[in-house]
Amino acid sequence: MCTATWMLTSSGYQIYFNRDEQKGRPEALPPTRFDNTGTEFVMPVDPVGGGSWIAMNEHGLSLCLLNFYQGKMPQKPLISRGLLIKQLANCQTAHEALATLDTVPLLHYAPFSLMLFDPALTQSHGEVLGVCWNGISLSTITPQAPMVSSGVDLHNVTAYRQGEYLRYIEQGVTAESLRAFHASHVLMRDESLAFKRNACHSHLSACMHRDDAHTVSFTHIEVTPQLLTMNYHAGSLCADESCEKRKINGNKNPTSSFLLVRKMITAPAELII
């Protein structure tokens, strides 16, 4: 249950990612710095499996994983899908990550879709790469924003979010339009037949709220030739006070910001929190 969008610019790319989870699942840990065989990367951590759904490394490679609930569950003992993100985060390019994935025994992983953003990706160079493991075979996909996963009513969820996405970017794909889309709720009709925003009780919206699950975090990644940034917001972006507000350890503004310096630059790689 997630929604991902992105924006390619003249000098790099940006990723916008809503993570949706069951209400009983433990809170994710905010982004943490890791070193995998000499490569630094940052990612929020799922305390259940120890992996993540999104990561960015010092080369400028970013990875996003969405559960594919409609796949066939393998019968072998399963390893957390999130650990794939941790394993691939030391790669220098998207193609190296795909080659590494080909060596992984995927029958030990539940189905997923994976998006890969290459360090050299811009609006005039390259494209977002993607693969889908359906529990039987691994196939190449062409990611189209918004990428959506849901264990409930996937067809209608995808159709609604695609329609809303197009409405939000009607005047252009911008940081403001994408952020607004990720904070958006279903439009409902009131008794006067005028549209108004529902008090966020819908499984259809990008900012998702169901009785058993809801949007639990928002991550924004920006990659430029020099700097790599990850901003992580614990909780949903919605500003509707009728929505349930999630707070981490009493923090009223649970946002973590990270800055990595590209390894290809002569300055040493650093992390600023």
Side-chain angles (χ1 to χ4, degrees), residues 3-263:
T3 304
T5 63
W6 54 90
M7 176 172 63
L8 305 185
T9 69
S10 60
S11 60
Y13 63 84
Q14 296 185 38
I15 303 170
Y16 299 76
F17 197 105
N18 275 9
R19 183 194 185 210
D20 307 333
E21 270 299 345
Q22 296 291 323
K23 288 186 175 180
R25 194 176 183 91
E27 298 276 5
L29 304 176
T32 302
R33 174 183 182 177
F34 292 90
D35 188 299
N36 185 354
T37 61
T39 295
E40 292 182 329
F41 62 95
V42 292
M43 69 179 198
V45 179
D46 174 14
V48 176
S52 187
W53 58 98
I54 190 167
M56 173 191 74
N57 74 15
E58 63 183 318
H59 301 293
L61 172 68
S62 296
L63 306 162
C64 299
L65 185 144
L66 296 85
N67 295 344
F68 183 52
Y69 297 98
Q70 290 67 38
K72 179 180 175 60
M73 193 65 69
Q75 298 304 304
K76 292 182 178 287
L78 295 181
I79 302 170
S80 171
R81 288 169 282 206
L83 291 175
L84 285 172
I85 293 292
K86 195 172 186 179
Q87 180 178 350
L88 298 176
N90 70 326
C91 296
Q92 294 191 27
T93 67
H95 287 289
E96 180 184 343
L98 289 175
T100 301
L101 186 63
D102 281 339
T103 68
V104 174
L106 291 178
L107 284 173
H108 289 285
Y109 296 89
F112 61 84
S113 297
L114 176 68
M115 293 186 295
L116 307 96
F117 296 78
D118 192 78
L121 180 64
T122 68
Q123 62 186 186
S124 60
H125 181 272
E127 60 184 357
V128 181
L129 302 182
V131 293
C132 180
W133 163 244
N134 64 8
I136 301 174
S137 61
L138 184 71
S139 59
T140 299
I141 61 174
T142 301
Q144 299 290 331
M147 285 287 289
V148 174
S149 72
S150 178
V152 175
D153 197 19
L154 177 64
H155 176 76
N156 288 325
V157 167
T158 300
Y160 180 83
R161 294 182 194 178
Q162 286 176 340
E164 283 292 277
Y165 172 76
L166 293 175
R167 187 173 71 84
Y168 273 92
I169 66 166
E170 188 173 5
Q171 302 301 319
V173 179
T174 65
E176 293 75 18
S177 64
L178 293 183
R179 190 176 179 91
F181 167 70
H182 281 265
S184 66
H185 297 135
V186 168
L187 290 171
M188 303 293 288
R189 288 184 182 271
D190 63 17
E191 294 180 356
S192 67
L193 299 183
F195 279 108
K196 67 176 183 180
R197 289 205 179 278
N198 168 347
C200 53
H201 300 297
S202 176
H203 67 293
L204 296 175
S205 55
C207 185
M208 191 275 287
H209 299 263
R210 295 198 323 244
D211 290 340
D212 63 330
H214 56 176
T215 297
V216 297
S217 68
F218 168 76
T219 305
H220 173 233
I221 287 174
E222 182 172 6
V223 169
T224 70
Q226 290 79 32
L227 297 180
L228 317 162
T229 62
M230 174 184 285
N231 292 301
Y232 175 82
H233 179 86
S236 62
L237 286 179
C238 60
D240 190 331
E241 291 302 323
S242 66
C243 288
E244 178 185 357
K245 293 297 183 181
R246 296 168 62 87
K247 294 175 181 169
I248 308 299
N249 298 325
N251 185 352
K252 295 182 179 180
N253 184 26
T255 299
S256 302
S257 296
F258 292 82
L259 174 66
L260 282 174
V261 177
R262 275 203 195 241
K263 194 167 189 177

